[in-house]
Amino acid sequence: MTLSKDLSARLRDAAGFVFDMDGTIALGDAASGGHKALPHAIALLEALRARGTPYVVFTNGTAKPPAAYAASLRKAGFPVEDARMLTPSSSTADWLTRSGMGKVRVLGNAGCRAPLEDAGLDVVGPDEAAEGVEAVYTGWFREFDFPALEAACDSLWKGARLLTASNVPFFATANGRAIGASYPINAMLTAMTGKRPRILGKPSRVAFDTARLLMGLPRSAAKHMVVVGDDPALEMRMANAVGALSVGMATGIMAKSDALPERDRPAVLLDSLKPLLDIL
C-alpha cells in the first residue's frame, strides 16, 4: 500500500510512537506465553531506535509485569528495554498515586499487581478481608471465584471505586481471538453493585498520557504522535480522542471489512508494517 504524502510526512516527523503488542507487532498464545514477531516489526523498531525517535510498547494485557513482557519480546528479537514496556497496571499505578488513593483491592494475578506494589500502594488480595479499601481494580484473573466476587462487592458497596485495566471482550493470539479476563468480571461487579468501571488502560487518556510522559514528551506533542494497533476500540479510539495519528493493522482483530464509527476509524489501515518501515 502506498501512503499519501501527508501521512508519510506525519510518520517521518512523528514525535513518538505507541505500539500495541498482540496482533500488531507480535502474536502470543491465549495463556499469554511466549511471543513471535510479526513480519517487519523488529526492523521497524530498530529503525526508530536508529533515528532516535522515542517509542513504547503498550499492551492492554496484565497477565505479567511490564518487565516480563519486555523480556518475552526481547527473546523474540525485539529491541524493547524494560523501560519501554507498559501495561494498564502502569497507568493505573500512576493514576492512583496522583489521585491520593493508597489502598486498592486487586482482582488480578501477580503480574497485574506488580506495578501497583512497585509504586508503594497498599495492595489487598482478591478475597482478603479488609476495611478502608478505596478502589477495586480488575485485570488478568482467570482464577476469579465466588469469594473474590463477594469481597469485591463488599468493598464497592462500602464506597470503593471500580477501576479496570480493560473492558473489551477479546484480544488477538496466534490461534485467533481469546477472551479477556476483566470484561466478564466487570460485568458481574456492575450487575451486583450498579457501579461501572473506569478504564485506566487503553483507550483512556490516562493510558495515553502515561505513554507520552514515559517518552518525555509534552502535552502539546500529542497531535504529533502515532498510535499503531489492531483494535479499533482501543488504540484507534485512544489516538483519535487526543488527535494523534491512528494507524490500524489488519493483522489482529480488525478487518478491512469492518464498518467502524468515526471515533474508532483509523486514519490508515494496513495489512503489514512494511509501509511504515519503508517510510522510516
Side-chain angles (χ1 to χ4, degrees):
M1 177 179 181
T2 302
L3 299 178
S4 69
K5 289 184 178 180
D6 178 60
L7 285 175
S8 297
R10 288 188 68 181
L11 289 163
R12 275 195 303 270
D13 299 335
F17 283 75
V18 180
F19 290 96
D20 176 47
M21 184 174 68
D22 294 305
T24 299
I25 62 170
L27 286 173
D29 60 40
S32 292
H35 289 90
K36 181 179 180 180
L38 285 168
H40 313 292
I42 294 173
L44 176 58
L45 267 59
E46 288 176 340
L48 288 171
R49 184 171 63 173
R51 290 168 60 94
T53 302
Y55 65 87
V56 298
V57 178
F58 198 136
T59 178
N60 231 36
T62 53
K64 299 177 182 179
Y69 282 123
S72 181
L73 289 177
R74 286 195 298 272
K75 187 176 181 181
F78 286 95
V80 178
E81 298 88 355
D82 290 355
R84 292 185 188 267
M85 191 76 219
L86 292 169
T87 75
S89 292
S90 307
S91 46
T92 297
D94 288 346
W95 186 86
L96 285 166
T97 300
R98 287 188 283 105
S99 299
M101 294 186 188
K103 194 168 189 176
V104 55
R105 181 183 300 281
V106 177
L107 272 58
N109 65 8
C112 182
R113 296 192 301 269
L116 280 68
E117 293 169 337
D118 291 344
L121 296 165
D122 184 1
V123 175
V124 176
D127 58 1
E128 182 182 344
E131 295 297 328
V133 174
E134 298 168 277
V136 172
Y137 171 58
T138 67
W140 185 262
F141 192 41
R142 292 198 166 189
E143 302 80 11
F144 182 74
D145 56 15
F146 210 84
L149 175 64
E150 290 180 316
C153 286
D154 181 67
S155 294
L156 293 168
W157 285 326
K158 290 177 178 176
R161 294 192 62 171
L162 179 55
L163 311 174
T164 189
S166 174
N167 201 40
V168 294
F170 306 111
F171 64 97
T173 76
N175 299 316
R177 70 182 188 179
I179 297 174
S182 52
Y183 183 87
I185 296 172
N186 292 336
M188 282 186 273
L189 294 177
T190 296
M192 293 301 298
T193 68
K195 292 190 175 182
R196 296 188 178 276
R198 173 164 184 169
I199 301 167
L200 294 176
K202 297 179 293 187
S204 71
R205 179 72 191 235
V206 174
F208 179 83
D209 283 343
T210 299
R212 175 181 57 77
L213 290 169
L214 184 61
M215 289 186 278
L217 298 173
R219 192 179 184 91
S220 59
K223 296 184 185 302
H224 305 287
M225 292 173 61
V226 178
V227 178
V228 186
D230 72 302
D231 193 325
L234 294 182
E235 295 86 32
M236 303 303 98
R237 186 178 299 179
M238 181 175 74
N240 293 338
V242 300
L245 179 62
S246 53
V247 177
M249 299 302 304
T251 48
I253 66 172
M254 183 161 37
K256 286 198 168 183
S257 59
D258 290 344
L260 299 171
E262 186 174 355
R263 67 174 181 170
D264 297 343
R265 200 175 301 150
V268 59
L269 181 58
L270 303 176
D271 292 319
S272 162
L273 291 167
K274 190 173 186 302
L276 301 185
L277 178 60
D278 290 343
I279 286 170
L280 297 171

